[in-house]
Amino acid sequence: MNYWLVKSEPSAYSWDDFVKDGGTRWDGVRNYQARNNLRAMKKGDLVLYYHSGAGPGVVGVAKVVKEAYQDPTTEDDRWVAIDLEPVRALKAPVPLGDIKKEKRLKNISLLKQGRLSVVPVTKEEYEAVLSMGSVGK
DNA sequence: GCCAACGTTGGC
DNA sequence: GCCAACGTTGGC
């Protein structure tokens, strides 16, 4: 079991849209590192759902329901998509500012590689974020 | 709206 | 293969 974090601009596709849809295809990634992360995702892996832009932070948890396949939004076979489903919202969203202040999260890839839209998260980091979001394991 | 970080492109 | 120019992302 691995843990990840994906970013979305809420004005483009918010957590609420995701919940309303009951799941979505995560496509359109055009960055090699992010693509490699998508390829490494396994069915059942848990994914922190992060809002970028105004009021950035982690708002919910999703899970991988379909592993990497050819991204249908392009003919180019370098790119892949995965399918995600919502698991649950955090009781309290965890703002980026709090992530920056949290000692347990000082090495999180989200902070190390700010512009990557799909980043790995360790089990410890994942659990730290959930506890900050008032959600038990 | 600005700017820093950083990935990509293209000239050489 | 290097590196400058350029474009994009995302925080503020």
Side-chain angles (χ1 to χ4, degrees):
Chain A
M1 161 82 75
N2 288 304
Y3 301 90
W4 309 93
L5 179 148
V6 297
K7 294 182 186 175
S8 183
E9 273 276 353
S11 58
Y13 193 77
S14 69
W15 170 259
D16 287 344
D17 295 328
F18 181 46
V19 169
K20 204 184 309 162
D21 291 346
T24 195
R25 187 208 304 145
W26 212 259
D27 58 22
V29 171
R30 297 291 182 269
N31 168 285
Y32 289 109
Q33 250 184 296
R35 188 276 314 270
N36 292 343
N37 290 332
L38 287 182
R39 278 191 179 156
M41 287 186 184
K42 295 294 171 201
K43 199 170 173 176
D45 281 358
L46 293 168
V47 181
L48 297 171
Y49 197 102
Y50 176 91
H51 276 169
S52 61
V58 176
V59 292
V61 180
K63 70 176 176 200
V64 177
V65 292
K66 188 172 177 189
E67 295 176 14
Y69 55 95
Q70 167 67 33
D71 185 340
T73 65
T74 177
E75 298 280 294
D76 191 331
D77 63 10
R78 289 176 298 170
W79 307 116
V80 299
I82 56 154
D83 288 352
L84 292 177
E85 271 180 14
V87 175
R88 62 188 148 178
L90 298 188
K91 284 189 186 131
V94 179
L96 179 62
D98 289 2
I99 291 173
K100 285 182 175 169
K101 276 183 273 171
E102 173 55 49
K103 288 191 295 292
R104 289 174 293 173
L105 299 176
K106 68 175 190 301
N107 291 319
I108 196 168
S109 310
L110 173 68
L111 301 181
K112 292 280 162 82
Q113 291 176 280
R115 296 181 61 233
L116 249 196
S117 58
V118 182
V119 290
V121 175
T122 67
K123 186 168 194 287
E124 290 71 26
E125 289 162 352
Y126 174 83
E127 284 168 4
V129 171
L130 286 203
S131 69
M132 291 162 75
S134 321
V135 175
K137 274 192 214 179

